[in-house]
Amino acid sequence: MPPINKHYFFTYRALVRRNFYVIRQRLQHALTNAVVRIFVDVIEFGGLLPAMGVSEALIAPLFVGSIGLQLLFQGMGFGLRTIFDVKFNRFIDYHMTLPLPKRWLFASYITYFCMEATIITLPLFTIGILLLGTKFHTVAPNYLLFFIVYLMTLIFYGTLFLGLSLYYEFDWFMENVWPRRLTFLLMLSPTFFIWHKAYSFAPYAAYAMLAVPLTYVAEGLRATLIGGSEYLSAYLCIGALSFWIFLAIVFMARGIHKRLDPV
Amino acid sequence: MIALKQSLSVFLQFMHRDFFTRRKKIMDNIVNYGLIYPIVFAIESAYFQGRANFSTPNPTLNTVLFAGNIVLVLMLFTYKQNIELLFDLEDKRFIDYQIIMLNPVFVIIERIFFTALYTFTIALPYYPMGGLILQNYIDLSHTNWLQLITLLFAGSLCLSAYHLLAAVVLQRPADIGALWSRVNGALLAFGGFWVPLWAIKKYSSVLGTLAYLNPCLYLTEGVKGAITGSSDYVPFWICLPMLFAFSGLFTALCWWQFRRRTDCL
């Protein structure tokens, strides 16, 4: 490895260490938020919806769909922190002066998001599944593939929200990013139902959902954590998520040039 | 009498000022909250969820699923309008100028009332738009429109007061995440966003009893009852007074906390 790359690596490692420090500072607050959300989700998906008439067999896929939603909320929090920094604090200006290529710098931002989201959400989802107990029916879970889909989801959300917070103006982001971007992504994906069920009564709409990245998040997490033939193939979801990560990186790069104009 | 007239004049001028500062975003808000949300929620709840998640889907069930979603629209919009006070208290403190010009309690009432009116106006097209998009899947034929409109206003007022209270209770903007995660999320989930009170009671009588403390529940139950005409939901004559009672309670708490925070007379 040429000496210059070693230097980059050490700077990157210092940033990651700092990220751990920041996460430690925020951990108690963020964990409390996540614990409340998980308990609410467990009661809602594990008890209330079945009481309303939803089949018990759908508890597991709906709860797993809600995991995708929780990760989206984590991503939104990350996007908000970034856009507030770009608009007000400009701590990012200091980062831009570090002796580090910009791609390494923004990789450290996404690494930060992945670390934070994993530390906060992964143990809680495990607790959520344990709380659901026998209501969480699994067929053939594949935890290695689950971890891959989970990590790809985090990278996708990290890149997407970094891109959104850099690409759009502060006012537009605050007013419109949720209704005009995220609502479509969320509500037109099978987060709160199963894609195959939608396909059975609305095949064209189901095909249209394949153009929405959150379809692969929800179905990929279901296919790997629950298993069986009810969901889209895990490998298809991994392939599609790779494609969407690539698109998100292109979008983020445009946002970086637009907002930060790096040399 | 003259003092009252002057107060009323300043009150109306503040209302006008609020309208003036928000006028540029009115079109955006109409598109977002009066067009995009009802269309997307109608498709997601009434079309997909109603048919994919329930063994016996029918237009009434679809309508109930769609009807409860209004609480999220009102929550989001009142939050966006009233949380500005939190940022103002942190930084610019325009509020200091306002409480010099007008009795602070009227400043609070003006903000709550303006946001309620604004939210109510933005939310009015919600159900007609949903019905227009999914005519065969959402049944609005039994709707008591007068009750529905009255409930929408009462709900807007209640959630406006609630979010102004949140704005004065929260100590810093970083706490907003906690507000949504720890409080608003639970209020929505147990407040009839999807699940009506009869299903909450069926699951747990304790949770069903606690749900009566949730102001969102009276909005969603009242709206569901007004749209379906069914007696399965909390009756209108309970929901409406409860929404006004919660509005009064939140306004009083907001005033109490506001006085402590701004140290005004």
Side-chain angles (χ1 to χ4, degrees):
Chain A
M1 186 189 287
I4 190 81
N5 281 358
K6 207 172 169 183
H7 181 67
Y8 293 160
F9 177 75
F10 284 129
T11 313
Y12 176 84
R13 196 179 65 178
L15 283 174
V16 171
R17 276 188 180 163
R18 179 192 169 274
N19 291 343
F20 265 117
Y21 175 76
V22 174
I23 291 169
R24 265 211 314 272
Q25 299 294 311
R26 301 187 57 250
L27 193 61
Q28 192 188 351
H29 184 79
L31 267 178
T32 313
N33 291 349
V35 165
V36 175
R37 279 206 299 259
I38 285 295
F39 272 96
V40 169
D41 278 356
V42 166
I43 294 172
E44 182 160 38
F45 293 105
L48 297 182
L49 284 175
M52 199 184 166
V54 172
S55 159
E56 288 233 339
L58 289 174
I59 290 177
L62 290 182
F63 180 74
V64 174
S66 82
I67 291 178
L69 181 65
Q70 298 296 345
L71 293 176
L72 187 79
F73 288 148
Q74 290 289 330
M76 185 64 188
F78 171 63
L80 281 171
R81 284 199 299 277
T82 309
I83 201 163
F84 269 89
D85 181 58
V86 170
K87 174 78 176 172
F88 300 108
N89 301 333
R90 301 292 305 185
F91 187 58
I92 201 165
D93 286 341
Y94 161 69
H95 277 158
M96 298 280 280
T97 61
L98 289 173
L100 194 67
K102 299 300 169 277
R103 65 183 63 176
W104 283 70
L105 175 65
F106 290 103
S108 83
Y109 273 66
I110 294 165
T111 311
Y112 164 69
F113 170 70
C114 293
M115 283 171 8
E116 184 191 54
T118 307
I119 291 169
I120 292 169
T121 58
L122 207 52
L124 289 166
F125 296 147
T126 314
I127 292 169
I129 290 167
L130 290 174
L131 284 173
L132 284 172
T134 52
K135 289 179 179 173
F136 194 87
H137 301 295
T138 57
V139 179
N142 184 329
Y143 296 110
L144 179 67
L145 281 181
F146 168 73
F147 189 72
I148 292 170
V149 173
Y150 185 80
L151 192 64
M152 291 184 84
T153 303
L154 292 180
I155 294 170
F156 172 67
Y157 281 154
T159 318
L160 175 73
F161 279 99
L162 195 56
L164 286 170
S165 59
L166 293 173
Y167 190 81
Y168 293 113
E169 295 287 343
F170 179 79
D171 284 341
W172 195 94
F173 183 93
M174 298 304 285
E175 289 292 329
N176 297 320
V177 79
W178 195 259
R180 296 194 187 179
R181 296 290 180 272
L182 303 178
T183 300
F184 286 108
L185 284 182
L186 181 67
M187 293 298 186
L188 302 181
S189 72
T191 299
F192 300 114
F193 50 89
I194 297 173
W195 186 83
H196 271 110
K197 291 255 186 188
Y199 179 77
S200 65
F201 61 82
Y204 292 115
Y207 281 128
M209 280 178 204
L210 295 178
V212 180
L214 266 65
T215 299
Y216 303 103
V217 171
E219 288 286 306
L221 291 172
R222 284 171 188 149
T224 53
L225 201 55
I226 301 168
S229 56
E230 283 277 295
Y231 316 107
L232 292 177
S233 150
Y235 295 103
L236 170 71
C237 294
I238 289 171
L241 277 174
S242 307
F243 172 71
W244 278 105
I245 288 170
F246 169 74
L247 286 187
I249 289 171
V250 172
F251 175 62
M252 183 185 73
R254 288 184 65 183
I256 291 167
H257 279 280
K258 185 178 172 186
R259 186 73 49 224
L260 302 172
D261 195 18
V263 180
Chain B
M1 192 65 186
I2 293 169
L4 191 68
K5 262 187 176 174
Q6 277 177 343
S7 291
L8 189 66
S9 166
V10 178
F11 185 94
L12 291 174
Q13 282 171 33
F14 281 168
M15 292 275 282
H16 184 256
R17 179 252 171 203
D18 280 346
F19 176 74
F20 183 78
T21 55
R22 286 165 171 84
R23 75 191 191 289
K24 281 183 185 167
K25 290 179 182 170
I26 286 178
M27 209 55 218
D28 274 356
N29 287 327
I30 289 173
V31 170
N32 290 348
Y33 295 88
L35 202 67
I36 293 176
Y37 278 129
I39 291 174
V40 174
F41 282 158
I43 294 171
E44 209 275 339
S45 297
Y47 187 70
F48 284 114
Q49 275 199 62
R51 299 178 76 185
N53 290 349
F54 294 87
S55 49
T56 51
N58 59 68
T60 309
L61 176 70
N62 298 339
T63 311
V64 167
L65 284 171
F66 172 63
N69 293 174
I70 187 75
V71 68
L72 179 61
V73 176
L74 298 190
M75 270 267 197
L76 284 172
F77 198 72
T78 51
Y79 157 79
K80 278 218 175 282
Q81 302 308 312
N82 284 352
I83 208 69
E84 281 179 10
L85 180 61
L86 171 63
F87 291 94
D88 186 55
L89 284 167
E90 269 247 317
D91 187 20
K92 294 173 188 162
R93 296 199 67 102
F94 174 73
I95 194 76
D96 288 341
Y97 162 72
Q98 285 195 312
I99 58 178
I100 291 169
M101 298 287 291
L102 185 65
N103 185 333
V105 73
F106 289 130
V107 173
I108 295 289
I109 291 171
E110 185 275 325
R111 288 197 173 215
I112 291 171
F113 191 65
F114 177 81
T115 300
L117 268 182
Y118 192 20
T119 310
F120 169 68
T121 314
I122 294 287
L124 272 178
Y126 185 83
Y127 291 109
M129 191 58 70
L132 205 66
I133 292 296
L134 290 178
Q135 291 175 5
N136 298 329
Y137 298 93
I138 294 175
D139 181 13
L140 297 177
S141 59
H142 306 290
T143 305
N144 183 331
W145 289 99
L146 185 64
Q147 282 189 7
L148 182 66
I149 288 171
T150 318
L151 282 163
L152 277 183
F153 178 74
S156 303
L157 188 72
C158 179
L159 293 176
S160 171
Y162 165 71
H163 273 126
L164 200 70
L165 172 64
V168 292
V169 168
L170 293 180
Q171 292 302 312
R172 55 205 174 100
D175 294 335
I176 289 172
L179 169 75
W180 278 95
S181 300
R182 298 179 196 179
V183 187
N184 288 2
L187 285 180
L188 287 169
F190 306 131
F193 177 71
W194 279 328
V195 186
L197 182 65
W198 63 259
I200 300 177
K201 279 181 174 170
K202 192 174 159 189
Y203 169 67
S204 157
S205 56
V206 177
L207 208 58
T209 310
L210 285 175
Y212 283 105
L213 300 173
N214 185 346
C216 297
L217 186 93
Y218 296 99
L219 171 65
T220 56
E221 286 288 308
V223 160
K224 285 169 186 172
I227 289 178
T228 58
S230 163
S231 56
D232 290 343
Y233 307 100
V234 180
F236 171 78
W237 57 267
I238 293 180
C239 292
L240 192 68
M242 284 307 289
L243 283 170
F244 282 125
F246 272 111
S247 306
L249 176 70
F250 292 144
T251 307
L253 287 173
C254 184
W255 164 234
W256 178 70
Q257 177 65 19
F258 183 76
R259 272 178 64 177
R260 286 180 60 194
R261 189 146 176 186
T262 56
D263 198 20
C264 59
L265 297 173

